[in-house]
Amino acid sequence: MAASIALADPPSPMREDLVAYRAVGGYEGLKAALIRGGASVLAAIEDSGLRGHGGAAFPAGRKWRLAAERAATCRHVVANGGEHEPGSEKDKHLVERHPHRVLEGMLLCGLATGATRGWLYLIEDMAPQIASAERAIAEARAAGLLGGTILGSEFAFDVAIHRAPPTYVAGEETAAIDSIEGGPGKPRKKPPYPGEYGLRGEPTTVNNVETLTHVPWIVRHGAGAYRAIGTRESPGTMLVTLPAELRRPGVVEIPFGTSWRTLIEQHGGGVRDGRRIRAIHPALSCGFLAGKHLDVGIAHETLRPLGTAPGCGGLRLVLDGDDVLARLLEIARFFMKEQCGQCPPCRMETNQFAHVLGALQAGKGGNFADPIRKVADFARKKGFCSLIEMAAAPILSALDLFGDELGTASSASG
Ligand SMILES: Cc1cc2nc3c(=O)[nH]c(=O)nc-3n(C[C@H](O)[C@H](O)[C@H](O)COP(=O)(O)O)c2cc1C
């Protein structure tokens, strides 16, 4: 059984150009899909159980069907490469090293949903990724893989690169749409969802770059082969960005269900200085997991009951000797700085977290856990986007996990 779909492995030191991509079966999925039709692609993605890799893990097939079934004369695909979460590098890796996989995923999404316009959403300071994508688009156009009559078929689809402002919140899907439309890149109220009313009011499928790179493999090998990798509720593989504390940092691909121990020791070569792992932080916007859970498999269904999620795979570790409070304050300040200011509960929550944790660090102790929990409870689900919940997840889980150290009552530290 395949354990990888070759997104990171073997690590490609160079950009995969069109010749190299074709040599490993690139665009074969598109060729077959143009004969079988878009409905077969949509069915394959639904059957595969592919979930979004941008953080929320929403089933890709459900999102695609929403856009496909919405009556419209024009539809869009947005490949979200706005990766701005500290510790996550996988989307930048994909766009820079495997740009044709991203383009083929966008084309297949376009074919399945009836879209003709593709937008590769990048951040304006991502120079290597923009350069790589520009070259790949030019190669694809010259080879008849983008444009009017793709590979001689009636399917028309073209891709433009959008250079977004360098803010975290601009990676949220409706903020991405706002930015492409020329706005400041701030989230909009949902519903309506982009699949119903997206770019210029037209049905728009927004997927993370990594999600789209799984699509060509699924179309070529079938939904069953994809489901044979990973776990029941988390089929396939995921990319993880391993942190600098490990002997081999960088982007690796693992089948869902791989344990944290295997990821850290086998893929990452173990902790560089041998320090004990006190807690695993699957990604900045997720809850912490006690170090005693190193043998738990990485999958949505196994992490959910433990209060966390695979997230975007930007792994961080809390090691013996690390200053937990300093880490929490860094997280709180990140979200305070990155909230866009338009939803008062989000502004209030993120400012309050940073204020309370800052006071704690300055030695002003007292009961700080209750105000944090109260403000998180009040703000929950009150924003246009989920930044409120993303900011709260690590802080709330840390109150439980590092309670003794921080001076709260409860502790579940492993
Ligand atoms: C504050 C915020 C920032 C986000 N940043 C990104 C991002 O950089 N890249 C991304 O793919 N999704 C990001 N998302 C999630 C997107 O809104 C959306 O769910 C995702 O692009 C959908 O793709 P997927 O279903 O393939 O995961 C962000 C969400 C929020 C609330």
Side-chain angles (χ1 to χ4, degrees):
M1 184 206 302
S4 133
I5 63 172
L7 297 177
D9 191 25
S12 150
M14 313 259 290
R15 169 181 165 275
E16 188 177 50
D17 65 10
L18 182 55
V19 173
Y21 185 49
R22 278 190 152 148
V24 293
Y27 292 108
E28 289 300 321
L30 176 67
K31 216 185 272 180
L34 286 170
I35 296 164
R36 287 191 229 128
S40 77
V41 177
L42 182 51
I45 296 308
E46 284 177 328
D47 292 347
S48 73
L50 172 67
R51 287 165 173 265
H53 285 260
F58 192 80
R62 264 169 58 196
K63 192 182 274 191
W64 289 23
R65 186 162 291 285
L66 184 68
E69 293 186 344
R70 191 84 179 171
T73 50
C74 183
R75 296 184 185 80
H76 306 261
V77 174
V78 176
N80 191 346
E83 188 177 43
H84 217 64
E85 186 151 315
S88 183
E89 294 294 325
K90 51 127 182 154
D91 296 331
K92 291 186 265 301
H93 161 90
L94 287 171
V95 176
E96 188 180 345
R97 302 278 177 88
H98 301 292
H100 283 287
R101 290 173 199 243
V102 179
L103 292 182
E104 191 182 4
M106 294 178 76
L107 278 153
L108 288 164
C109 180
L111 187 64
T113 60
T116 52
R117 302 292 309 271
W119 305 86
L120 179 51
Y121 187 81
L122 299 175
I123 302 296
E124 63 194 21
D125 58 13
M126 291 179 175
Q129 288 73 26
I130 291 172
S132 179
E134 277 173 343
R135 282 170 61 194
I137 289 170
E139 286 174 326
R141 281 202 191 117
L145 290 158
L146 285 175
T149 51
I150 291 170
L151 296 177
S153 72
E154 288 179 0
F155 177 49
F157 189 85
D158 212 343
V159 173
I161 297 172
H162 179 76
R163 294 158 176 79
T167 67
Y168 181 63
V169 84
E172 194 276 340
E173 59 185 358
T174 59
I177 288 171
D178 184 60
S179 175
I180 295 171
E181 287 179 353
K186 291 194 177 187
R188 296 173 178 177
K189 198 171 183 314
K190 289 184 280 191
Y193 294 97
E196 309 160 291
Y197 189 93
L199 198 45
R200 300 175 197 145
E202 292 158 346
T204 303
T205 308
V206 185
N207 270 128
N208 171 255
V209 154
E210 184 190 344
T211 313
L212 290 164
T213 56
H214 289 236
V215 171
W217 195 96
I218 294 168
V219 170
R220 269 179 62 215
H221 298 272
Y226 192 73
R227 277 198 178 274
I229 310 170
T231 66
R232 209 171 66 83
E233 285 185 42
S234 310
T237 66
M238 74 175 281
L239 293 181
V240 178
T241 311
L242 297 174
E245 291 95 330
L246 298 185
R247 287 196 182 87
R248 289 193 297 275
V251 177
V252 296
E253 182 182 13
I254 52 162
F256 276 111
T258 302
S259 73
W260 293 105
R261 191 183 298 284
T262 300
L263 172 68
I264 290 165
E265 291 177 3
Q266 288 183 17
H267 294 266
V271 177
R272 212 178 270 279
D273 58 12
R275 277 189 293 160
R276 187 180 73 101
I277 296 170
R278 290 186 64 204
I280 299 155
H281 197 190
L284 187 92
S285 54
C286 298
F288 288 89
L289 187 66
K292 67 185 174 195
H293 294 306
L294 268 176
D295 291 306
V296 166
I298 304 166
H300 299 285
E301 65 271 36
T302 46
L303 296 182
R304 199 179 306 122
L306 297 171
T308 189
C312 63
L315 179 66
R316 296 153 66 91
L317 297 171
V318 181
L319 303 173
D320 263 348
D322 283 349
D323 183 341
V324 171
L325 183 54
R327 181 77 67 90
L328 294 184
L329 195 51
E330 172 209 327
I331 295 170
R333 286 182 174 152
F334 171 79
F335 284 108
M336 180 180 70
K337 175 174 158 279
E338 294 294 341
Q339 55 87 20
C340 75
Q342 64 178 346
C343 305
C346 184
R347 264 195 339 254
M348 186 193 68
E349 180 197 78
T350 52
N351 276 273
Q352 187 74 355
F353 284 175
H355 172 76
V356 170
L357 291 168
L360 192 62
Q361 199 186 46
K364 298 175 196 151
N367 179 3
F368 68 93
D370 284 351
I372 284 185
R373 289 202 176 97
K374 220 180 247 175
V375 76
D377 270 354
F378 169 79
R380 190 169 293 126
K381 303 270 177 213
K382 290 201 178 106
F384 283 1
C385 78
S386 54
L387 191 134
I388 286 176
E389 291 75 31
M390 293 157 102
I395 308 293
L396 293 177
S397 71
L399 295 184
D400 295 331
L401 206 57
F402 304 110
D404 282 347
E405 184 172 339
L406 296 170
T408 63
S410 58
S411 173
S413 181

